[in-house]
Amino acid sequence: MKLHLSDEDVAFREEMHDFFTTQIPQHIRDTVAARRELTKEQIVESVQAMNAAGIAVPNWPVEWGGKDWTPLQRHIWHEEMQLASVPVPLAFNHSMVGPVIAAFGSQELKERFLAKTANLDIWWSQGFSEPDAGSDLASLRTTAVRDGDDYLVNGQKTWTTLGQYGDWIFTLVRTDPDVKKQAGISFLLIDMTSPGVEVRPIELIDGGHEVNEVWFDNVRVPAENLVGEENKGWDYAKFLLGNERVGVAPVGSTKRTLSLAKEHAKTAGPGGTSLLDDPLLAAQVADLENELLALELTALRVVANSADGKPHPASSVLKLRGTELQQAVTELIVDLAGPASLASGAGEDSDVPEWARVATPNYLNFRKASIYGGSNEVQRQIIAGTILGLRG
């Protein structure tokens, strides 16, 4: 199996590198590189720059703005974006609801939503998780009861990431309570300005506001906002989650973060000395670099085996190991910052360098990585059953 790039793919990589390092505004790339929180406006500006160049939604059908790229080219696009400190396009729009509407939505829904979704003129939120459901997504209790030309929606969603910016929310709702739980679910699009929709913030352990609760109190939703067929929503959700797990091994961004950690280590010792001379730290860094290289090669093997466009079962390995390494590197930076990592509340006039001030919030924030997109425990079950053939 060839793991080196062809001349054509090398040229493609250079094309992507040139675009991301020259066409995405520097202030956005600086924000990502410094691991500061992006504003909504920065995310929209970055996506619209990519969409103007026709490379925001390469995974979509060509007629709706996609590119006829190979899986390897899409992988290169994603990696070069991260290496250039460019925020990846909003997953809720570009990896989740967009492909679902393109594959299963009516022509009216496609024409109404896809162009605006690609350009982030509409900011989508995800309405899947519910209280008390844990990882059992099918245990949802939010109901949608048909009432004339509308559905009447009642219930609650939780962990709705960036829901405070949402214009619309795609939801799984129970439309038939009398059948097997997976068979009574529908996929409904809801305008978040509708009467009865309320977004409540959840304060996180790092002090940030990234996730929310979304409540629905007798919300009227036109039946034309149903995607596909009623009670077939579980099939569309599985399609969406399969797409979500593509690109879940953030090798590019983790390599960039590890490179920054090595730069910080050069002056993080007593009196501004280098910690890279410490054999234990040097061994830790070398171990992470080797693990990232192994993950990068595994990602290429997965891409090579996904030529039919379907997610490969080994994507669970990428999700599992990718998030573990992502968390390990954020923990390394906290260790390098030492006591200064406690200064997360310090202002710009602090003597503590910015990288040390953001070390702990970033470390805490990335604890989520092993939970979202299918928890790592779920990925281990998939690996055991699907790849290793270990049935319980």
Side-chain angles (χ1 to χ4, degrees):
M1 174 183 168
K2 294 193 302 182
L3 288 177
H4 66 273
L5 299 181
S6 66
D7 291 344
E8 182 182 5
D9 289 328
V10 169
F12 180 80
R13 181 185 286 279
E14 292 174 352
E15 178 188 347
M16 291 296 104
H17 173 79
D18 289 345
F19 176 83
F20 290 129
T21 55
T22 60
Q23 301 303 309
I24 302 299
Q26 189 64 45
H27 71 94
I28 296 174
R29 298 177 57 224
D30 288 345
T31 300
V32 174
R35 304 201 301 158
R36 294 192 294 267
E37 185 176 345
L38 288 159
T39 66
K40 176 183 179 180
E41 290 73 22
Q42 286 177 313
I43 296 172
V44 172
E45 185 177 2
S46 177
V47 165
Q48 292 186 345
M50 280 191 267
N51 199 42
I55 61 170
V57 289
N59 55 317
W60 288 19
V62 171
E63 65 177 306
W64 298 111
K67 304 289 285 188
D68 191 20
W69 287 347
T70 65
L72 179 58
Q73 286 175 317
R74 288 205 297 272
H75 176 80
I76 292 171
W77 165 81
H78 195 259
E79 290 297 300
E80 286 301 318
M81 190 187 315
Q82 295 179 68
L83 289 170
S85 300
V86 171
V88 296
L90 189 69
F92 313 116
N93 283 46
H94 300 93
S95 303
M96 298 183 182
V97 73
V100 168
I101 294 175
F104 305 106
S106 64
Q107 186 66 21
E108 189 273 338
L109 287 181
K110 293 175 184 177
E111 294 176 358
R112 183 179 169 194
F113 286 117
L114 286 180
K116 292 180 179 178
T117 297
N119 201 46
L120 209 41
D121 295 328
I122 295 174
W123 184 295
W124 286 93
S125 298
Q126 183 183 33
F128 278 15
S129 297
E130 294 196 4
D132 303 323
S135 296
D136 186 5
L137 193 58
S139 292
L140 61 90
R141 293 181 293 189
T142 297
T143 59
V145 178
R146 190 66 183 261
D147 183 28
D149 293 332
D150 299 331
Y151 286 101
L152 204 57
V153 179
N154 283 282
Q156 178 193 355
K157 299 294 179 179
T158 193
W159 308 123
T160 308
T161 303
L162 302 178
Q164 66 269 35
Y165 301 145
D167 301 305
W168 283 72
I169 183 169
F170 54 93
T171 59
L172 293 179
V173 292
R174 185 156 302 286
T175 42
D176 188 344
D178 299 322
V179 295
K180 180 183 175 183
K181 58 184 180 181
Q182 287 86 354
I185 294 172
S186 297
F187 196 106
L188 198 60
L189 311 179
I190 302 177
D191 184 342
M192 293 183 74
T193 64
S194 302
V197 177
E198 182 181 0
V199 179
R200 302 178 186 175
I202 299 174
E203 186 173 350
L204 295 180
I205 191 172
D206 66 359
H209 172 202
E210 185 174 320
V211 293
N212 304 268
E213 296 174 326
V214 181
W215 294 75
F216 304 94
D217 182 11
N218 288 318
V219 178
R220 284 201 168 274
V221 180
E224 64 193 28
N225 290 0
L226 178 73
V227 175
E229 299 179 42
E230 188 174 278
N231 297 326
K232 295 292 186 182
W234 187 247
D235 294 337
Y236 313 145
K238 288 192 293 184
F239 173 85
L240 180 151
L241 293 172
N243 288 329
E244 184 185 17
R245 289 181 190 133
V246 174
V248 291
V251 175
S253 64
T254 306
K255 285 171 66 176
R256 174 170 47 76
T257 306
L258 181 57
S259 177
L260 287 172
K262 291 171 67 176
E263 287 298 314
H264 301 326
K266 290 179 180 177
T267 58
T273 57
S274 174
L275 290 177
L276 291 176
D277 297 328
D278 181 299
L280 289 177
L281 180 69
Q284 186 179 1
V285 170
D287 186 52
L288 286 169
E289 288 179 329
N290 286 334
E291 292 283 353
L292 275 170
L293 177 60
L295 183 64
E296 186 174 22
L297 294 175
T298 303
L300 286 171
R301 290 175 60 195
V302 171
V303 168
N305 285 286
S306 299
D308 58 358
K310 297 180 180 178
H312 190 277
S315 62
S316 291
V317 176
L318 300 182
K319 198 282 178 178
L320 174 63
R321 197 64 187 130
T323 52
E324 288 177 341
L325 292 175
Q326 193 176 33
Q327 292 176 338
V329 173
T330 60
E331 185 173 356
L332 172 64
I333 294 178
V334 170
D335 290 342
L336 291 172
S341 67
L342 299 176
S344 57
E348 294 296 327
D349 57 347
S350 170
D351 292 334
V352 178
E354 182 181 22
W355 70 267
R357 283 185 272 131
V358 302
T360 297
N362 272 280
Y363 164 80
L364 293 173
N365 188 281
F366 276 103
R367 298 305 95 187
K368 69 188 179 186
S370 51
I371 300 174
Y372 64 54
S375 71
N376 282 9
E377 285 72 22
V378 170
Q379 303 311 317
R380 289 187 178 92
Q381 289 181 336
I382 294 173
I383 293 167
T386 306
I387 299 177
L388 302 179
L390 302 174
R391 303 291 181 183

